[in-house]
């Protein structure tokens, strides 16, 4: 089980800020089981742990599994809402109600790839030449805003193919009610039309003041003229514009992948916050505690952090957004680009939502540093410190990424393999992989492991060659951990030798009670101090590899995708399989039986008995 001795829930509840944001609940194995949003994190998260509240059966059950929580502060409730949606889609928490598609929040789309662009509402952000604004939480506000844009800027909303269809049909009603300048008739030039489009884009980018001022003047004038219906219409338009004006930076319409890095420091302590933006969406974050020299600037901290962090990171995005300029920017860009296989740029945004997103990361880093400094020091010992202990035990220079492998097979069921990944002492679940054994019949753990490792590293070598270093298997570990001792380690070494790879391989040895005992490395067993962080980390990794394999095996069995090993024996049908299982309690007992003994079973004959014997021998 994942230990959380360093996290005191009641103490951490006292540190929660009264700010909007998203909270993330973890279970005993550190899996994310629930993501929620809050106007005030302090008030909302506390409610889960108050026994007097009627929470409902599902939430009460979920609370019993919470071992720790984390949070990300945002600048508004809207940002918290959108971030919550992004995180649920990314992590699929057990206790969240899952949306079955991406039609969650609307965007405003300006079809700038067309000769005469349109402004429309959409729920999908595509990688095309259009400009997207949003997402927004109110569909009605978006519709009202688009209606307002048509009234103010007279853009078309038809589906005609322009300029090909200019003059082919009469102008529509929108032209006659003065909501469109009829580019379909050539009544407005492309250049003049584009000026209106540019005005719309400025409006959607946040230039709302002029529009709001104009609408308020018209509302007041209508009210003074006792035209109350018209005044109400203007009031509702103002409300819609204000809803759309709520800028949020949690989702970026560019759809790019980037990391956002910011620092908070105090004396000799610092925290670097990394926001992960994938496909334009903020999908997660991580923070790292650092010991620094007094007076080190954010620029100096980032300059030393970036090469350390990205040296062992499987995926490097095309852009890093930084809080401050770093000294070695050209060297770092060249190094990151060579690791990624494509260009990587380091930027310091100076304005707009990107600059505010960096500031949000810095603010979160500051909160972590001020509230969690002591716990982070203990946590570092539990993760990075434990990895350093393991490296010292094995005499390995440096370990960042570890991959652990296990095989699962239950009597009568085919084998499956699991690969779990730990980076800097923490599970990296996005990199976990599972394998359904294809080329091995029966309960052959060594053969199954040979197949798993061969497939994993062959695939990785192929990706490195064909995909410029980008792929699911591209990044190789600094240490391979096998669930077992000498036999499993030798299988791994044979596979690596055949593929011309040099990676340290270590066995996780268990005692007779199936508890972690030590490490098998370079033909000797290395004992581990059971009170050490290294021992606790090895135990967690071994348990996690086993859990992941068993979970996959159970999933396949539930789908009816595995079958009895006896089904693979030629001449053994349902009746003979049942007879064998009635007479023998296990597959091992069948394996040890002689041909004569097998032939004496009812419904079996000598030919069938020989077939069973040959299968196992």
């Amino acid at each position: 089980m994942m230990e959380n001795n360093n996290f005191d829930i009641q103490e951490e509840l006292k540190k929660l800020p009264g700010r909007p944001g998203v909270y993330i609940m973890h279970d005993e194995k550190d899996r994310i089981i629930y993501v929620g949003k809050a106007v005030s994190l302090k008030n909302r998260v506390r409610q889960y742990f108050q026994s007097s509240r009627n929470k409902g059966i599902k939430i009460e059950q979920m609370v019993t599994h919470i071992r720790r929580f984390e949070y990300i502060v945002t600048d508004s409730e809207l940002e918290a809402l959108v971030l919550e949606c992004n995180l649920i889609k990314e992590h699929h928490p057990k206790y969240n109600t899952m949306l079955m598609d991406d039609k969650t929040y609307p965007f405003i789309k300006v079809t700038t790839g067309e000769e005469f662009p349109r402004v429309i509402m959409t729920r999908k952000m595509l990688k095309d030449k259009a400009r997207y604004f949003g997402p927004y939480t109110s569909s009605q506000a978006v519709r009202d805003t688009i209606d307002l844009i048509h009234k103010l800027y007279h853009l078309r909303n038809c589906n005609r193919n322009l300029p090909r269809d200019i003059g082919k049909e009469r102008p529509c009603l929108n032209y006659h009610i003065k909501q469109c300048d009829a580019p379909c008739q050539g009544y407005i030039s492309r250049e003049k039309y584009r000026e209106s489009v540019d005005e719309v884009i400025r409006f959607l980018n946040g230039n709302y003041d002029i529009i709001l001022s104009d609408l308020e003047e018209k509302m007041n004038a209508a009210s003074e003229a006792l035209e109350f219906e018209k005044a109400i219409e203007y009031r509702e338009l103002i409300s819609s514009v204000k809803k759309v004006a709520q800028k949020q930076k949690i989702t970026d319409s560019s759809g790019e992948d980037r990391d956002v890095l910011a620092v908070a420091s105090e004396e000799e302590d610092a925290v670097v916050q990394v926001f992960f933006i994938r496909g334009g969406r903020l999908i997660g974050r991580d923070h790292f505690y650092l010991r620094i020299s007094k007076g080190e600037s954010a620029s100096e901290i980032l300059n030393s952090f970036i090469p350390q962090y990205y040296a062992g990171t499987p995926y490097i995005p095309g852009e890093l957004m930084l809080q401050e300029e770093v000294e070695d920017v050209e060297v770092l860009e060249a190094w990151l680009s060579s690791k990624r296989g494509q260009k990587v740029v380091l930027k310091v945004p100076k304005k707009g939502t990107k600059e505010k997103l960096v500031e949000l990361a810095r603010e979160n880093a500051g909160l972590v540093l001020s509230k969690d400094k002591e716990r982070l020091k203990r946590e570092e010992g539990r993760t990075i410190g434990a990895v350093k202990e393991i490296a010292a035990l094995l005499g390995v220079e440096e370990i960042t990424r570890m991959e652990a492998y296990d095989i699962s097979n239950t009597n009568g069921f085919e084998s499956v393999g699991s690969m779990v990944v730990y980076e800097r002492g923490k599970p990296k679940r996005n990199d976990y992989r599972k394998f359904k054994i294809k080329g091995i019949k029966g309960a052959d753990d060594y053969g199954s492991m040979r197949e798993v490792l061969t497939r994993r590293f062959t695939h990785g070598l192929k990706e490195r060659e064909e995909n410029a270093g980008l792929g699911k298997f591209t990044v190789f570990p600094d240490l391979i951990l096998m669930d077992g001792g000498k036999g499993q380690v030798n299988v791994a070494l044979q596979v690596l030798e055949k593929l011309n790879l040099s990676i340290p391989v270590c066995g996780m040895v268990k005692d007779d009670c199936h508890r972690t005992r030590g490490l098998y490395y370079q033909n000797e067993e290395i004992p581990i101090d059971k009170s050490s962080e290294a021992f606790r980390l090895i135990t967690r990794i071994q348990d996690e590899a086993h859990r992941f394999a068993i979970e996959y095996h159970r999933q396949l069995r539930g789908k009816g995708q595995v079958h009895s090993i006896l089904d693979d024996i030629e001449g053994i049908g349902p009746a003979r399989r049942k007879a064998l299982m009635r007479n023998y309690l296990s597959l091992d007992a069948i394996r040890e039986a002689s041909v004569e003994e097998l032939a004496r079973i009812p419904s079996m004959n000598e030919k069938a008995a020989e077939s069973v014997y040959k299968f196992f021998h």
Side-chain angles (χ1 to χ4, degrees):
M1 291 179 79
M2 188 81 175
E3 298 174 10
N4 283 290
N5 300 331
N6 294 327
F7 195 92
D8 185 328
I9 287 179
Q10 294 305 319
E11 281 300 311
E12 297 304 322
L13 287 173
K14 296 175 185 176
K15 301 175 184 177
L16 285 164
R19 294 275 306 277
V22 167
Y23 53 92
I24 304 163
M25 304 296 194
H26 294 254
D27 68 4
E28 63 275 3
K29 293 186 181 295
D30 215 30
R31 292 172 297 202
I32 294 175
I33 57 173
Y34 189 75
V35 175
K37 64 181 182 302
V39 178
S40 169
L41 287 163
K42 179 191 293 185
N43 297 340
R44 184 72 184 98
V45 179
R46 279 179 174 176
Q47 291 174 3
Y48 288 96
F49 303 96
Q50 293 172 354
S51 57
S52 60
R53 297 187 65 86
N54 182 16
K55 309 180 188 74
I57 295 173
K58 186 173 89 167
I59 296 300
E60 285 194 1
Q61 183 185 29
M62 184 262 290
V63 170
T64 64
H65 294 291
I66 297 173
R67 294 297 178 270
R68 75 176 183 93
F69 60 79
E70 57 178 317
Y71 57 87
I72 304 174
V73 299
T74 60
D75 285 336
S76 68
E77 186 182 0
L78 168 64
E79 286 186 351
L81 189 66
V82 177
L83 178 55
E84 177 197 37
C85 176
N86 291 350
L87 293 175
I88 289 172
K89 287 177 182 176
E90 180 67 19
H91 299 289
H92 298 85
K94 179 178 179 179
Y95 290 98
N96 280 99
T97 301
M98 292 302 300
L99 295 164
M100 299 311 293
D101 56 34
D102 289 333
K103 294 183 179 178
T104 314
Y105 301 116
F107 293 83
I108 293 178
K109 176 179 179 178
V110 183
T111 61
T112 47
E114 297 178 337
E115 291 270 346
F116 293 90
R118 295 166 293 147
V119 180
I120 57 178
M121 185 177 83
T122 181
R123 292 185 182 272
K124 287 188 177 181
M125 196 164 55
L126 305 174
K127 288 191 175 182
D128 52 17
K129 295 179 181 179
R131 290 284 301 273
Y132 291 85
F133 300 88
Y136 304 105
T137 54
S138 169
S139 299
Q140 189 56 51
V142 169
R143 291 189 185 95
D144 290 347
T145 301
I146 291 174
D147 286 343
L148 175 63
I149 286 170
H150 287 139
K151 290 175 183 176
L152 294 174
Y153 300 106
H154 303 168
L155 301 188
R156 72 187 183 103
N157 65 358
C158 63
N159 292 321
R160 295 180 185 180
N161 189 333
L162 303 181
R164 188 193 68 186
D165 294 339
I166 288 179
K168 288 187 177 180
E169 296 181 37
R170 290 181 298 176
C172 65
L173 179 62
N174 286 336
Y175 168 71
H176 297 291
I177 61 174
K178 302 191 185 314
Q179 288 192 18
C180 178
D181 288 331
C184 61
Q185 302 301 308
Y187 293 167
I188 182 172
S189 68
R190 181 182 178 280
E191 291 71 27
K192 196 72 176 172
Y193 189 90
R194 278 282 176 172
E195 288 178 11
S196 297
V197 173
D198 292 340
E199 286 291 326
V200 169
I201 290 172
R202 278 193 285 274
F203 167 70
L204 293 173
N205 267 325
N207 189 16
Y208 302 106
D209 293 341
I210 296 173
I211 299 296
L212 288 171
S213 176
D214 182 51
L215 288 172
E216 284 174 4
E217 282 182 18
K218 290 178 178 177
M219 179 182 69
N220 293 332
S223 180
E224 289 174 8
L226 305 181
E227 295 176 336
F228 298 116
E229 287 186 8
K230 190 173 284 187
I232 290 171
E233 183 182 337
Y234 286 126
R235 186 188 67 191
E236 289 175 350
L237 283 172
I238 290 169
S239 175
S240 294
V241 172
K242 285 181 176 178
K243 283 181 181 177
V244 172
Q246 290 184 66
K247 296 295 289 181
Q248 64 82 29
K249 46 200 171 284
I250 301 306
T251 297
D252 179 7
S253 61
S254 69
E256 299 296 329
D257 290 357
R258 53 172 61 96
D259 285 354
V260 180
L261 290 83
V263 182
S265 60
E266 179 183 294
E267 297 291 325
E268 296 179 345
D269 300 303
V271 168
V272 175
Q273 183 87 201
V274 184
F275 280 174
F276 308 116
I277 297 176
R278 301 294 179 262
R281 295 185 303 154
L282 176 57
I283 62 164
R285 62 92 184 258
D286 209 345
H287 46 250
F288 301 89
Y289 170 77
L290 306 172
R291 294 287 291 172
I292 61 172
S293 301
K294 279 188 178 181
E296 269 193 74
S297 66
S299 174
E300 291 171 322
I301 296 167
L302 287 173
N303 201 66
S304 60
F305 173 80
I306 289 170
Q308 293 180 61
Y309 175 67
Y310 288 101
T313 301
Y315 177 71
I316 300 174
E319 182 177 300
L320 307 187
M321 294 200 312
L322 308 180
Q323 174 184 352
E324 291 186 13
E325 296 280 0
V326 293
E327 183 180 353
D328 300 329
V329 61
E330 293 181 0
V331 175
L332 289 173
E333 284 183 341
W335 175 73
L336 290 166
S337 298
S338 67
K339 278 187 66 66
R340 184 174 189 260
Q342 295 177 4
K343 186 172 178 59
V344 178
V345 295
L346 276 59
K347 292 183 178 178
V348 181
K350 301 296 185 184
K351 61 180 181 179
T353 56
K354 291 180 181 179
E355 188 271 335
K356 289 176 182 174
L357 186 58
V358 173
E359 175 58 25
L360 189 65
R362 190 207 61 76
E363 197 173 348
N364 275 273
L367 280 170
V368 171
L369 182 63
S370 63
K371 297 179 183 297
D372 296 337
K373 184 165 61 178
E374 294 306 315
R375 184 170 63 80
L376 278 172
K377 289 180 183 178
R378 296 193 299 271
E379 178 74 11
E380 187 183 15
R382 200 175 149 270
T383 54
I384 297 174
V387 175
K388 288 179 178 176
E389 285 182 27
I390 294 170
L393 276 171
L394 303 179
V396 177
E397 187 174 335
E398 186 177 354
I399 298 173
T400 299
R401 179 185 175 98
M402 296 183 287
E403 292 180 4
Y405 294 85
D406 191 16
I407 299 294
S408 173
N409 56 69
T410 308
N411 274 351
F413 292 108
E414 66 183 346
S415 300
V416 298
S418 70
M419 166 185 139
V420 302
V421 179
Y422 275 63
E423 281 190 2
R424 299 177 182 85
K426 296 181 181 180
K428 190 170 181 60
R429 292 189 174 83
N430 284 349
D431 285 6
Y432 284 17
R433 295 292 176 262
K434 45 198 177 187
F435 304 82
K436 185 176 178 182
I437 306 304
K438 300 174 181 177
I440 303 296
K441 297 293 184 182
D444 180 355
D445 282 2
Y446 290 164
S448 299
M449 186 59 75
R450 183 175 288 105
E451 178 183 321
V452 166
L453 292 169
T454 301
R455 284 164 57 185
R456 183 264 180 268
F457 288 104
T458 301
H459 201 149
L461 289 168
K462 187 177 179 181
E463 284 181 348
R464 286 184 170 194
E465 184 178 341
E466 296 179 356
N467 300 332
L470 299 175
K472 295 179 180 179
F473 291 97
T474 302
V475 178
F476 287 175
D478 302 306
L479 178 67
I480 295 173
L481 294 167
M482 308 299 295
D483 185 51
K486 182 177 181 179
Q488 293 284 20
V489 168
N490 286 339
V491 167
L493 290 172
Q494 288 164 14
V495 171
L496 294 174
E497 184 179 4
K498 190 175 180 180
L499 297 173
N500 293 317
L501 293 172
S502 178
I503 302 172
V505 181
C506 185
M508 298 179 288
V509 185
K510 290 187 176 181
D511 60 21
D512 294 337
C513 298
H514 213 63
R515 293 173 301 197
T516 304
R517 183 179 73 200
L519 296 174
Y520 182 84
Y521 183 63
Q522 293 184 340
N523 296 317
E524 64 175 301
E525 185 174 320
I526 302 171
I528 314 178
D529 180 0
K530 292 189 177 181
S531 64
S532 69
E533 293 295 351
F535 180 82
R536 295 189 181 100
L537 178 58
I538 290 292
T539 302
R540 289 198 297 273
I541 293 173
Q542 193 166 29
D543 289 346
E544 179 71 348
H546 188 61
R547 177 201 67 79
F548 192 56
I550 291 292
E551 187 179 272
Y552 180 44
H553 201 272
R554 190 177 295 127
Q555 176 189 347
L556 290 181
R557 286 208 309 271
K559 293 179 179 178
Q561 291 179 347
V562 294
H563 56 275
S564 170
I565 289 174
L566 300 178
D567 288 344
D568 293 330
I569 305 175
E570 188 177 348
I572 301 300
R576 284 174 175 163
R577 185 180 69 238
K578 288 177 183 176
L580 284 166
M581 296 308 291
R582 273 197 303 268
N583 283 269
Y584 297 97
L585 297 177
S586 70
L587 287 173
D588 287 337
I590 297 173
R591 184 183 291 108
E592 292 169 4
S594 66
V595 174
E596 292 75 17
E597 289 171 334
L598 292 168
R600 287 197 291 268
I601 296 173
S603 80
M604 293 286 286
N605 56 33
E606 190 172 344
K607 183 179 179 183
E610 286 179 356
S611 184
V612 172
Y613 186 85
K614 286 179 181 178
F615 180 84
F616 285 106
H617 295 85

